[in-house]
Amino acid sequence: MSATDNTTSTLDLRIPLSEWIRPSQAFGNQQSSGGSGALPDDYLLPALQIACSLADQICKTKDESGQLQLPTPGTDWIDSIVVITDGAPSPPSASAADGDLSNGIRVEILPTLFFDTTDSNNLGRARNGGILFSLGIVFYELFSGGERPAEMKPKQIIEGDNFEVSQGQTGTRELLESLETLPFGQGDGTIDLEGVDIDDFDLFTSHDLQDEYNDIWGSDEIDVCSLQGQNPRKKESTSIDNIMHAVTVEPLKAKGVPGPLCDLIANMMDIADGKLGGEDGYRAMSDVRDDLQLMLDKPSIYLFDQDMGRLSTTGLQFGGTLFGRNAELYTIIDSYRRSAVGESESVIISGKSGTGKSLLAVEVGKYVISNGGILLTGKFDQLQQGKPFSALASAFNQFCEALVDNDDLAPMKQKLAHQVDCVLGGDAYHLTKLMPKLSIILGLNFSCSNHDEDCANAQKRLQWLMCKFVQVLSTSFAAPVTLFLDDLQWADSASIAAVNQLLLAGGLTSQEGHFFFLGCYREGDTGSGVTYDKIIPSVNVKLDCMDEETLNTMVSETLCLSPRLTRTLSSVIYHKTKGNPLFVTRLMMSLCKDGLLRPSLRQRRWEWDKEKILRQKLPDDVAEFLSHTIEALPDDLKATLRVLSCFGASVNSAFIKALERALGRNLLNGIGAAVAEGLLDKIDDQYRFSHDRIQEAAYNMMNVFERCEFHFRCGMALASLEDEEGGFIFTAVTQLNFAGPEAVEDERQYAIIANHNLRAGKKAMEVSHFEAAYIYFDNGITFLRKEHWEEHYALSLELFNLAAKCALANGDIDSLKLLSQQVLKKAQSFEDTLNVMYCMTCSLSYSSKLPESIEKSLDILSQLGIDLQGRESSMEVCVKETRDLLSSYTYDELLNIRRMTDSTMIMAMKFLSKLMTGMAQTTPESAPRVAQQIIQLSLDHGMSPVSPLGFVHFGSYSAKLGDISGGYNYVKLARSLLDKFGSKENAGEIICIGTQVVSYLEPLQATVEYHDEGYAAGMASGDIFQAAMNIMTRYVSSFCAGVKLQTTREIVDEGIEFMRERKIVIFLLELQGFRHYLLKLMGIDEELKQVSAEEENILATNYNAMKVQLFQKSYISFMFRSYDDSKAYAEKYFACIAKASIANLIVAHSFNAFYIGLISFWVARNSGDGEQWYERGNKFKLALGKWAETSQWTFENKWYLLEAEEAFCKGKFDDAKVYYEKAVKSAKNHKFVHEEALAYELAAYFYLAIGEVSNATEHCLLAHDRYQEWGAIGKCANLFKFIGDIMNGCVDSSPAHSLAVANAMHEVQSDLAHLLSEDSNLNAEARKRRVEDRSSENQSPRDQPRSSIK
């Protein structure tokens, strides 16, 4: 039995090692990873596993009592070793799969090999490395195919200074058959070394024995006292005089055994003066075991021979392996996995320069791709910050380019094109400006389209389009999208905002696609002022420098040498570099170049001169080290690096060729040399500095004046080149701006450079990057000379106007004021000031100065001949005048009016648009007059992008006054004009206003989806307020349509997140209040969020916001039957109505009218001033009746229920019964489950009041069923309480019927018990049928609601 802890199964095959070994002549020409003539893998790898198992057992073998066992040194170990396999055949066949170790090969050492460690003579046998030497002999035989070293005599045992020849050795197989299991506890003494491995065995007390043992195991000690009393386990031998010999491994190399394995065996048997010697010689068995394990785990690095001849030519090579970052890698991968199935997440990798941030990101990218994900990669650059969305554009465009260039992906390309067209339509044009290759995929020609409309916020439009594109990518390819952006410290705020929008959109619409963001941020650089904490992070991963052990692993794998051999070199490198990975790689390359680290053809491994390396004086900072490295390069190579460093971290071949033409010099030769030096990497068509620090070191070699001169020369040369895509214009102008006006050599060049900046700024605006555009315009203004208004008026006016527009988009009001003042002062006509005045007017409205904005707009319009001041008239008069104005035009004539071309009138229409928006919030009674003026100008001067807005508002005003059908026609006209003229500037508002008119004609349920279209249009135009309006109307419509409360809750939660992110406080307040009451209906108690001082001020001063809040409180009080609260809040609501009028017809009007009408009738029955409340209720009933004439589907049930409540008030109980049943049926037929429930509930209260308690109970239970179907569990609980109160006689009915209620309590209790009994046949459906049977009218179910507005 072996002296190991391993147990063996009865199915295991036990084979003597001597029989397992395959003779070398049987190897033949079998396949080998080591090349021609090498040992075949099907033998080499299992044999290596046996060797590793042997070394491991010697390190760990203990007997049953936990005593450490030592094998007797000798040359015949092979006869005492058994190979155990999991049912595999003995020895490995030539047909075995390469490297297949699945048979679980392991070994046992027979107990006869272990000696009595209590006898000092026995310990002497182990002196001078006898155990290592003995195992080396076994390895020699194992890998040679059974041959022994030529230096060894047959069957020798190493003992002390002599060899003993064993007498009468029994063969191993005979031993296996004849030996009984020897108990490890034999002997009088004990060895108590529990928990100690052989390499930690350091308990010698005898100095003589200590010295002997140190030669074997290092500084280990053995407690001699604990080694007494053990009986010997080897047979007696006779001594012969001999010593251990150094053994050559050349025969092994000749047999094809890999060089590193030969070196391992040689280092185990490196004998000098009778002792183990040599610098590389082993001192501990654990080192042997660890090296063998590395050969098994990473054979390509540690087992097979390296091509030292090639390395002597190419020099040191780094493979891009990640060292010591497994924990960080798994953290990021876990975050990615979460994002792939849930909401979007982001990870920011931060750390100092050179700590391996980008390399870690590359490993994550490999994982993403290997798991079927989509990976987009981009890199920000300090010297390319002027290029709009440089990193984002590169990431998306490269992905599109890969689709275009790969013919195998043609089906996916077609699918993507189809999906983009379906989701984005013509708006995809704006994305093609950012990613030109997308236009090839789409195959669309946008040249004939008009894309010059004034976008309220084109940057937000682009953000939204990018979000939709990512969703399309994810859904089209059925894979999560990962965006990796490097060097975030150089990112512009617009790009960061776009990333945040992608994360936010992914969080809100994760069901439509999955998005993951990964970024790298270098600490210690201020960059553009953007810090990574401005990105919405899920996980932050911080990288530090490597510790010494990790660095040694890196050096070991790079040099393909055991970690024990590289430790001396790693220690020196660590203390020189402090573990900075970049510093380590550059230092090792420098040492290789200087010959201090070199490949040895003789030893076939790397070697180094430790002492010379130690004497080298190196800078402490990696940047300084790189500067010294570049300084030592040839002059022509330094010049090439300086040129490239001026253009950032990377350039492509096309740009290099253009630069060569522009500068008239050859660069590619120097670039090739830089690649050979490892300073540049060539990746496909890109040349990239190996690290940003190298680029920075090359750039800093030039002084300020040299940089200025070079930037100017390159910029002027590049600007003169023709480039179809316009890509060089950004690079050229950025170079000129780096140089500055001081570099200009000719006075005429000032205006030329200003014009170049104008071109670049316009292109930046095309991709909605207003920050970059503003910088270009501002630089262009800087290049203008003192008399520029007189000498270059048109250029100056355009630069100032566009700079003002960008300042407005960026929220830079101070710059906007300064620019506007200059234009107002220098403009040659009033018309030339309109652009900046429009920007100033917009800034006033954005900053909540609506009255001032309105006043300024009215004044400007007056100067344009459009006088709206003093033309006060009622909405009725204004609508009539506009209807008369349009009466002479047919629908087709209006649709075919020419397009407006007068630039002054176009600006006037913009002012009118802003004026109408402002007046709708402050003086809604004046808004119809503005709509009338828009229509008048459209008829006189042609249709503009603002014209559909005027028509849709006019249609809404007409509908509000009662002409719903006529208003509906103008809504359809507005939609048609919107489609015809292709302008999306006001599409979100047009859809929002128009759809609410449509809801008064068509089934409400069918119109809800239109607000999704309106939201998309608002986002596509960059108008967040338009998008927010559609979100608000969508939730109101969903609730009114009886959508299940859980679905409505999800809509509201998304809306709250949207409003909070964009700081739309008024809508946020409304949604938060609605959510609170929605949850109450669902049975979830949640405290209403405390309002801030700003929000409190809005509620106190904004009457529309106040009206919404008061209605919400009235509604929820009514639903939970709180009479006093309902009355109090309704009183306040009526007081607020007069101050919070809205000119347009909106969905909320009908919703409010319905519930305030119900409250009014309820109060009228129970209040002393019942007549006033009755009149209020009747007014709302008449309004619902009028609306029911145009949309029976939506309003009929509401009108019936108000009729029932009115009849209840007037004591017409028979009429009330009929109307309650009609309200129930109508609500059911028209799919308003919540209002069907309400009709049942109010009918229950009615029946209770007139003493029909059984009917009351029955209707109450039916109401409960419908509320439960709606999802109003909280309301269900409220109803059960009411039912309980009926049973207990606690309900306070009207005085006239209280006696009847009291007399019927016994009947109520028995009836209710019967209804709720398990044996009752009156389930919910039966109860419903009983009530329906009472109805005198039979209405057939109608089709599902459908709409025709589209």
Side-chain angles (χ1 to χ4, degrees):
M1 176 67 73
S2 165
T4 70
D5 293 332
N6 293 337
T7 60
T8 60
S9 166
T10 56
L11 298 178
D12 292 337
L13 296 180
R14 298 164 58 83
I15 309 164
L17 179 59
S18 57
E19 295 184 17
W20 188 92
I21 295 174
R22 190 195 310 172
S24 59
Q25 58 267 27
F27 294 155
N29 296 320
Q30 297 167 26
Q31 184 178 1
S32 165
S33 300
S36 177
L39 204 63
D41 290 352
D42 73 315
Y43 181 84
L44 173 62
L45 298 179
L48 192 62
Q49 190 176 15
I50 288 173
C52 186
S53 179
L54 269 172
D56 185 59
Q57 286 199 32
I58 293 173
C59 288
K60 297 180 178 178
T61 300
K62 300 174 185 178
D63 66 14
E64 294 175 353
S65 62
Q67 300 168 353
L68 191 63
Q69 302 293 296
L70 299 176
T72 305
T75 62
D76 59 348
W77 280 17
I78 199 165
D79 292 325
S80 299
I81 299 172
V82 179
V83 178
I84 302 173
T85 62
D86 298 336
S90 125
S93 64
S95 61
D98 291 348
D100 182 10
L101 305 179
S102 59
N103 54 9
I105 294 177
R106 60 192 187 280
V107 297
E108 285 185 4
I109 302 174
L110 295 180
T112 54
L113 191 58
F114 294 94
F115 66 83
D116 184 0
T117 53
T118 63
D119 188 341
S120 60
N121 291 327
N122 287 335
L123 283 175
R125 297 175 179 177
R127 66 180 300 187
N128 302 332
I131 294 178
L132 284 167
F133 187 84
S134 302
L135 187 60
I137 296 174
V138 175
F139 289 174
Y140 191 102
E141 294 186 57
L142 178 62
F143 293 105
S144 67
E147 299 180 12
R148 295 169 64 81
E151 297 85 355
M152 302 301 301
K153 296 179 181 180
K155 300 296 182 182
Q156 293 175 326
I157 300 175
I158 306 167
E159 180 180 311
D161 293 333
N162 303 314
F163 285 94
E164 295 181 359
V165 179
S166 176
Q167 302 295 322
Q169 283 278 16
T170 305
T172 307
R173 184 167 293 281
E174 289 77 3
L175 217 71
L176 287 172
E177 295 172 353
S178 62
L179 281 180
E180 296 293 333
T181 302
L182 298 180
F184 289 110
Q186 282 183 347
D188 298 329
T190 60
I191 301 177
D192 187 10
L193 297 172
E194 186 173 359
V196 181
D197 287 347
I198 190 70
D199 49 315
D200 298 323
F201 197 6
D202 55 357
L203 300 174
F204 268 108
T205 56
S206 167
H207 293 295
D208 293 337
L209 293 178
Q210 180 70 67
D211 292 339
E212 294 173 355
Y213 208 106
N214 284 351
D215 291 332
I216 308 170
W217 306 110
S219 60
D220 302 337
E221 298 179 357
I222 299 179
D223 185 356
V224 175
C225 296
S226 67
L227 301 177
Q228 296 176 355
Q230 288 293 316
N231 295 327
R233 298 180 182 175
K234 283 289 287 183
K235 297 180 180 180
E236 293 295 332
S237 304
T238 58
S239 300
I240 62 172
D241 293 330
N242 208 336
I243 61 173
M244 292 185 292
H245 295 282
V247 174
T248 178
V249 292
E250 291 303 319
L252 292 179
K253 294 180 180 178
K255 292 178 181 294
V257 178
L261 186 54
C262 291
D263 292 342
L264 178 142
I265 296 172
N267 289 334
M268 295 174 68
M269 307 174 70
D270 189 3
I271 304 299
D273 297 328
K275 298 182 180 181
L276 281 176
E279 184 178 348
D280 295 343
Y282 285 100
R283 299 293 183 269
M285 188 64 68
S286 59
D287 288 340
V288 177
R289 174 196 59 194
D290 293 346
D291 285 356
L292 288 167
Q293 190 62 54
L294 285 173
M295 291 180 182
L296 277 171
D297 294 342
K298 300 179 178 180
S300 62
I301 295 175
Y302 292 109
L303 177 59
F304 298 119
D305 294 326
Q306 306 301 311
D307 189 348
M308 304 311 292
R310 179 181 62 84
L311 291 173
S312 63
T313 303
T314 62
L316 194 62
Q317 301 293 309
F318 290 91
T321 304
L322 196 65
F323 295 100
R325 305 298 190 198
N326 285 341
E328 292 86 351
L329 178 62
Y330 295 147
T331 296
I332 300 172
I333 288 176
D334 285 345
S335 181
Y336 168 76
R337 287 171 176 167
R338 291 194 299 270
S339 72
V341 296
E343 294 188 357
S344 298
E345 290 198 24
S346 69
V347 175
I348 306 298
I349 307 172
S350 63
K352 294 183 178 179
S353 176
T355 50
K357 301 180 293 295
S358 300
L359 190 58
L360 176 58
V362 168
E363 288 299 314
V364 176
K366 292 177 182 176
Y367 177 85
V368 169
I369 294 173
S370 66
N371 284 272
I374 298 172
L375 180 65
L376 313 176
T377 63
K379 180 181 176 68
F380 291 102
D381 199 310
Q382 181 182 10
L383 295 180
Q384 292 183 6
Q385 288 179 318
K387 189 172 183 180
F389 296 110
S390 59
L392 280 169
S394 174
F396 283 98
N397 198 52
Q398 285 178 15
F399 177 80
C400 294
E401 186 175 16
L403 288 179
V404 170
D405 294 343
N406 192 334
D407 294 335
D408 294 336
L409 298 178
M412 299 307 300
K413 181 174 64 175
Q414 293 173 0
K415 183 177 181 181
L416 178 62
H418 174 72
Q419 291 296 325
V420 170
D421 183 53
C422 291
V423 175
L424 299 180
D427 288 329
Y429 163 82
H430 303 289
L431 283 180
T432 63
K433 291 292 185 179
L434 191 68
M435 37 187 119
K437 296 297 181 181
L438 178 62
S439 61
I440 300 176
I441 293 175
L442 299 178
L444 300 175
N445 181 11
F446 296 101
S447 59
C448 298
S449 302
N450 175 32
H451 302 286
D452 297 327
E453 74 273 6
D454 181 38
C455 180
N457 194 329
Q459 187 168 303
K460 288 184 171 61
R461 172 188 64 195
L462 184 67
Q463 292 172 5
W464 181 82
L465 290 173
M466 290 173 66
C467 293
K468 300 303 290 184
F469 184 68
V470 167
Q471 290 176 10
V472 169
L473 278 182
S474 183
T475 53
S476 297
F477 291 89
V481 176
T482 296
L483 173 63
F484 165 57
L485 297 179
D486 203 357
D487 284 332
L488 290 173
Q489 71 276 4
W490 306 122
D492 54 282
S493 59
S495 294
I496 297 298
V499 170
N500 282 334
Q501 188 63 36
L502 286 168
L503 289 167
L504 180 63
L508 295 179
T509 56
S510 58
Q511 71 276 9
E512 298 180 23
H514 300 281
F515 177 71
F516 177 68
F517 176 73
L518 179 63
C520 289
Y521 182 90
R522 186 204 299 176
E523 294 179 345
D525 284 306
T526 56
S528 59
V530 174
T531 55
Y532 69 84
D533 57 358
K534 293 185 179 178
I535 293 178
I536 305 172
S538 298
V539 179
N540 288 325
V541 174
K542 189 178 187 309
L543 299 188
D544 295 314
C545 292
M546 296 184 291
D547 57 34
E548 190 167 350
E549 191 61 34
T550 302
L551 190 150
N552 187 45
T553 302
M554 175 182 175
V555 174
S556 167
E557 293 199 13
T558 302
L559 301 183
C560 299
L561 288 174
S562 164
R564 71 183 182 87
L565 299 178
T566 59
R567 191 160 282 111
T568 56
L569 174 62
S570 299
S571 179
V572 175
I573 294 175
Y574 180 78
H575 288 93
K576 294 280 188 183
T577 64
K578 302 300 184 291
N580 182 286
L582 173 63
F583 204 167
V584 170
T585 56
R586 304 315 302 185
L587 175 58
M588 291 182 69
M589 293 178 70
S590 176
L591 294 175
C592 183
K593 184 178 179 181
D594 295 340
L596 300 180
L597 175 62
R598 54 195 175 275
S600 170
L601 294 177
R602 182 181 62 82
Q603 294 189 6
R604 304 193 64 77
R605 49 163 278 190
W606 286 92
E607 61 182 14
W608 53 87
D609 194 324
K610 176 182 175 182
E611 297 304 321
K612 288 185 178 179
I613 295 174
L614 282 170
R615 289 196 297 270
Q616 269 204 334
K617 293 183 178 180
L618 297 175
D620 295 330
D621 178 67
V622 63
E624 187 179 351
F625 174 78
L626 292 173
S627 296
H628 291 178
T629 302
I630 295 175
E631 283 290 354
L633 297 173
D635 290 341
D636 58 340
L637 182 51
K638 285 191 291 187
T640 299
L641 291 175
R642 282 197 296 265
V643 170
L644 295 183
S645 71
C646 291
F647 298 96
S650 65
V651 291
N652 58 35
S653 298
F655 178 77
I656 292 173
K657 292 176 182 177
L659 192 60
E660 285 181 327
R661 296 197 309 271
L663 299 178
R665 58 179 293 186
N666 184 283
L667 295 173
L668 285 175
N669 291 340
I671 289 174
V675 172
E677 288 285 342
L679 300 170
L680 292 178
D681 295 327
K682 188 177 189 301
I683 304 173
D684 297 329
D685 197 38
Q686 292 274 338
Y687 290 95
R688 178 175 296 173
F689 280 94
S690 301
H691 196 276
D692 293 344
R693 283 297 196 186
I694 298 174
Q695 181 260 329
E696 292 166 14
Y699 187 70
N700 291 331
M701 288 171 59
M702 298 181 287
N703 61 41
V704 175
F705 300 106
E706 289 174 329
R707 292 179 203 163
C708 183
E709 179 184 355
F710 186 80
H711 282 310
F712 184 79
R713 188 155 51 91
C714 286
M716 291 300 290
L718 287 171
S720 64
L721 296 177
E722 291 294 330
D723 175 31
E724 293 181 0
E725 293 184 359
F728 291 164
I729 186 63
F730 292 122
T731 304
V733 176
T734 299
Q735 293 291 307
L736 292 169
N737 293 337
F738 275 138
E742 297 80 8
V744 174
E745 300 167 348
D746 187 336
E747 283 289 328
R748 292 171 296 180
Q749 292 175 329
Y750 287 116
I752 293 174
I753 297 173
N755 194 61
H756 288 327
N757 271 288
L758 179 63
R759 288 173 54 206
K762 286 180 176 179
K763 281 194 164 293
M765 289 183 71
E766 288 179 4
V767 295
S768 306
H769 199 312
F770 293 99
E771 290 182 2
Y774 178 81
I775 292 172
Y776 285 123
F777 296 138
D778 187 53
N779 277 303
I781 293 171
T782 302
F783 275 95
L784 293 174
R785 296 298 87 194
K786 186 176 181 181
E787 304 299 326
H788 65 91
W789 281 105
E790 291 75 17
E791 297 174 359
H792 305 285
Y793 177 79
L795 173 62
S796 301
L797 182 63
E798 191 170 11
L799 278 170
F800 275 82
N801 276 336
L802 293 176
K805 184 174 182 178
C806 291
L808 173 65
N810 298 332
D812 186 358
I813 305 304
D814 291 336
S815 296
L816 173 59
K817 289 179 180 178
L818 292 173
L819 291 163
S820 300
Q821 288 170 3
Q822 281 289 305
V823 173
L824 294 173
K825 181 179 179 181
K826 299 292 185 178
Q828 295 178 357
S829 67
F830 176 73
E831 286 73 15
D832 287 347
T833 67
L834 289 177
N835 279 297
V836 294
M837 287 195 292
Y838 176 72
C839 291
M840 289 298 297
T841 303
C842 291
S843 72
L844 291 172
S845 63
Y846 295 161
S847 58
S848 301
K849 297 179 180 178
L850 278 177
E852 189 176 344
S853 173
I854 291 172
E855 184 180 352
K856 193 171 187 65
S857 296
L858 289 171
D859 179 62
I860 294 168
L861 288 168
S862 177
Q863 294 185 60
L864 291 174
I866 304 170
D867 190 5
L868 294 173
Q869 301 187 40
R871 295 178 61 185
E872 297 288 338
S873 58
S874 65
M875 186 167 77
E876 290 81 359
V877 171
C878 186
V879 168
K880 182 181 183 305
E881 290 176 357
T882 308
R883 189 181 293 116
D884 292 342
L885 178 67
L886 293 169
S887 61
S888 58
Y889 293 87
T890 65
Y891 184 91
D892 288 339
E893 288 174 341
L894 290 171
L895 191 59
N896 291 299
I897 290 177
R898 68 188 186 283
R899 184 185 294 271
M900 187 179 290
T901 57
D902 187 331
S903 60
T904 302
M905 286 298 102
I906 291 174
M907 285 302 304
M909 294 286 275
K910 288 183 178 182
F911 280 105
L912 287 168
S913 171
K914 289 299 175 187
L915 184 62
M916 185 162 60
T917 301
M919 284 184 169
Q921 299 179 55
T922 56
T923 54
E925 66 279 359
S926 302
R929 179 63 65 188
V930 181
Q932 181 186 13
Q933 188 64 60
I934 290 174
I935 293 173
Q936 180 70 68
L937 290 178
S938 299
L939 298 176
D940 294 343
H941 300 278
M943 297 290 183
S944 84
V946 176
S947 299
L949 193 63
F951 282 102
V952 79
H953 276 280
F954 173 68
S956 180
Y957 303 148
S958 297
K960 176 73 178 296
L961 293 176
D963 185 9
I964 294 178
S965 297
Y968 176 68
N969 289 331
Y970 287 110
V971 167
K972 290 198 296 183
L973 175 63
R975 288 296 302 266
S976 298
L977 289 171
L978 188 66
D979 295 337
K980 179 179 180 180
F981 289 99
S983 170
K984 300 298 178 66
E985 180 183 343
N986 300 296
E989 184 175 353
I990 292 167
I991 293 172
C992 182
I993 298 297
T995 298
Q996 294 185 84
V997 174
V998 172
S999 66
Y1000 282 81
L1001 277 167
E1002 300 185 1
L1004 179 62
Q1005 295 93 332
T1007 64
V1008 175
E1009 64 182 24
Y1010 296 160
H1011 294 293
D1012 291 332
E1013 181 187 354
Y1015 165 81
M1019 295 299 292
S1021 70
D1023 195 321
I1024 300 302
F1025 193 78
Q1026 290 181 17
M1029 287 170 56
N1030 279 280
I1031 290 175
M1032 299 299 295
T1033 311
R1034 181 191 177 206
Y1035 101 74
V1036 172
S1037 299
S1038 299
F1039 187 82
C1040 295
V1043 173
K1044 290 187 182 298
L1045 290 182
Q1046 180 57 38
T1047 302
T1048 306
R1049 176 186 177 180
E1050 293 169 2
I1051 295 171
V1052 171
D1053 286 343
E1054 290 180 11
I1056 287 174
E1057 190 66 26
F1058 183 92
M1059 306 306 172
R1060 182 181 291 117
E1061 288 290 331
R1062 291 154 183 86
K1063 297 180 175 58
I1064 306 177
V1065 182
I1066 293 180
F1067 289 166
L1068 178 61
L1069 280 172
E1070 181 176 338
L1071 283 172
Q1072 286 175 338
F1074 183 80
R1075 183 179 187 275
H1076 174 73
Y1077 300 123
L1078 183 71
L1079 292 178
K1080 187 171 182 179
L1081 285 170
M1082 296 174 69
I1084 302 172
D1085 289 328
E1086 184 177 273
E1087 289 293 330
L1088 191 59
K1089 183 179 176 292
Q1090 191 75 22
V1091 297
S1092 65
E1094 179 189 4
E1095 294 168 342
E1096 190 67 43
N1097 181 61
I1098 289 173
L1099 292 174
T1101 58
N1102 189 303
Y1103 289 108
N1104 279 311
M1106 190 185 305
K1107 183 181 74 171
V1108 169
Q1109 186 187 58
L1110 289 171
F1111 173 76
Q1112 289 175 347
K1113 292 181 177 181
S1114 300
Y1115 167 78
I1116 204 66
S1117 299
F1118 171 75
M1119 291 301 292
F1120 284 89
R1121 306 308 288 173
S1122 176
Y1123 173 81
D1124 291 335
D1125 287 341
S1126 297
K1127 179 181 179 182
Y1129 289 128
E1131 285 277 20
K1132 295 178 181 178
Y1133 176 84
F1134 282 116
C1136 189
I1137 285 179
K1139 303 175 183 178
S1141 61
I1142 297 176
N1144 296 96
L1145 180 65
I1146 62 176
V1147 172
H1149 284 154
S1150 62
F1151 185 56
N1152 293 7
F1154 178 47
Y1155 282 95
I1156 296 298
L1158 292 174
I1159 293 172
S1160 297
F1161 285 129
W1162 185 25
V1163 176
R1165 292 196 303 270
N1166 296 276
S1167 173
D1169 53 347
E1171 189 61 32
Q1172 180 188 17
W1173 285 97
Y1174 175 82
E1175 291 299 326
R1176 289 170 175 173
N1178 189 57
K1179 176 183 177 182
F1180 290 123
K1181 185 205 74 171
L1182 293 175
L1184 266 297
K1186 187 75 172 176
W1187 291 327
E1189 293 176 4
T1190 58
S1191 179
Q1192 183 183 16
W1193 182 286
T1194 302
F1195 299 110
E1196 182 187 65
N1197 70 292
K1198 300 173 181 62
W1199 175 60
Y1200 280 150
L1201 193 55
L1202 285 170
E1203 285 279 13
E1205 288 290 288
E1206 181 190 34
F1208 185 10
C1209 279
K1210 298 171 75 172
K1212 298 180 179 180
F1213 298 151
D1214 290 338
D1215 291 346
K1217 289 181 181 180
V1218 172
Y1219 280 122
Y1220 279 125
E1221 303 311 324
K1222 284 185 176 182
V1224 167
K1225 274 192 169 293
S1226 180
K1228 175 184 178 298
N1229 291 337
H1230 300 136
K1231 318 301 180 186
F1232 294 105
V1233 64
H1234 61 314
E1235 290 172 356
E1236 184 183 356
L1238 180 63
Y1240 276 130
E1241 180 186 2
L1242 296 184
Y1245 300 144
F1246 163 74
Y1247 283 118
L1248 181 65
I1250 65 174
E1252 297 183 17
V1253 180
S1254 178
N1255 270 338
T1257 305
E1258 195 168 9
H1259 279 75
C1260 195
L1261 291 173
L1262 285 165
H1264 168 273
D1265 294 340
R1266 295 298 165 268
Y1267 280 129
Q1268 191 172 46
E1269 182 181 343
W1270 188 34
I1273 307 303
K1275 178 61 182 174
C1276 291
N1278 177 258
L1279 278 178
F1280 267 130
K1281 181 179 181 299
F1282 174 74
I1283 294 171
D1285 289 343
I1286 294 177
M1287 295 178 65
N1288 296 320
C1290 299
V1291 173
D1292 184 16
S1293 61
S1294 67
H1297 301 285
S1298 58
L1299 180 61
V1301 172
N1303 293 334
M1305 289 316 303
H1306 178 72
E1307 179 187 348
V1308 171
Q1309 292 176 1
S1310 59
D1311 191 23
L1312 184 61
H1314 177 70
L1315 286 170
L1316 297 177
S1317 170
E1318 290 183 354
D1319 298 329
S1320 174
N1321 293 322
L1322 291 177
N1323 55 22
E1325 190 61 31
R1327 292 196 302 273
K1328 182 180 66 173
R1329 285 197 300 269
R1330 279 183 54 183
V1331 174
E1332 290 171 351
D1333 289 343
R1334 296 191 181 105
S1335 175
S1336 60
E1337 292 184 24
N1338 294 316
Q1339 296 183 11
S1340 60
R1342 304 183 184 184
D1343 294 334
Q1344 287 288 345
R1346 286 180 288 186
S1347 178
S1348 61
I1349 182 73
K1350 286 189 176 182

